[in-house]
Amino acid sequence: MERVSREYLRSDEPWYVGFSGGKDSTAVLKLVYSAMKRSPRHERQVVVVYCDTGVEIPPIAQHVRRTLAKLRAEASGDSLNLRVRVARPPRHDSFFVKIIGRGYPPPTNKFRWCTDRLRINPVTRVLRSCDNGAGTVVLGTRRGESVERDKVLARHQLRSRYFYSQGRAARRVIFAPVADFTTHDIWSCVLGLDRPRAVDAETLAGLYRDADGECPMVRDEHGPPCGAGRFGCWTCTVIRRDRSVGSLIREGYESLRPLRDFRDWLSQFREDPRNRCRYRRNGQKGMGPFTLAARKKILARLRQVERSVPWRLLPAGDVKLIHELWAQDRACPEYRE
């Protein structure tokens, strides 16, 4: 905590706390909030940034939304200069518009298009809208999560093992105050610090049974796929088996079963060459986008799933754009039914 408090007082540039609702980002949020409470001055602006991809696991997304609503009220009551911003991908980049509208195959390790479109780019746009390029992004990144990630951290390290450069944003740095924390340290922080009270630590601990990992908020090509952890997308097809949703189903979230079954079906549907165009959009021969007929099958299946669960999975605006994209593809013989 002393490290965070010391850095909080160092300058007046804004801080951006990347928050997914998971244990690592929650630990960072608690450390930053405690530093703000202990500070004799609260001039530094802190912006908590959450990325809503539109395909977050619904019970998890509901938990995060409740947390953020309470956080806003608590910070206001404590007279802290803390704001909450929710980043979202533009409609043309949303998951199902890409897949059903444009025919993108669901992400794989070789074509992992989702992280940039759904998370990295929306968060980057929020950061750019808040300042002139200067500031500190505070993340729950930890060492030891993978060999490749540790290499990336070493390559971008700045003045200490807790500070890193952020790619092209030369005036914005990454501060990773829990870089050397063990999992035990993280949970000690989450459960031991009492502020902000907006965080329901016991509920969070319950959600984490048999799960680990969070999706990245800034570029991390070597991070785990989002579906490998509890705080990610229910649609993730990069992984072979979705342990997180399966674990939640076993814990009583039976309404998630149709989502998991759809995800498994879509992963298999992707591999059937009869569902794919013979040419890629760059003109090269090979398994290209889904055919229009395949996209209609996916939409029909998703609509069927949506009728069986208590959540809206496909906004009306997305459906309208999907049909517009279909009309464009009908002009190209290769993508006709």
Side-chain angles (χ1 to χ4, degrees), residues 156 158 164-174 218-219:
H156 293 281
L158 296 175
Y164 305 90
S165 60
Q166 197 205 343
R168 299 175 182 176
R171 298 178 59 209
R172 194 182 294 128
V173 300
I174 293 173
V218 297
R219 183 174 297 279

Side-chain angles (χ1 to χ4, degrees), residues 35-79:
M36 296 177 76
K37 285 285 292 178
R38 295 174 64 190
S39 172
R41 60 185 181 89
H42 303 312
E43 289 84 358
R44 178 195 290 279
Q45 183 182 78
V46 173
V47 182
V48 177
V49 182
Y50 168 67
C51 186
D52 179 4
T53 64
V55 284
E56 302 297 297
I57 300 174
I60 304 295
Q62 290 171 348
H63 164 75
V64 172
R65 284 194 289 268
R66 286 194 297 268
T67 300
L68 293 177
K70 292 177 181 178
L71 179 65
R72 286 188 178 99
E74 185 173 352
S76 176
D78 286 337
S79 300

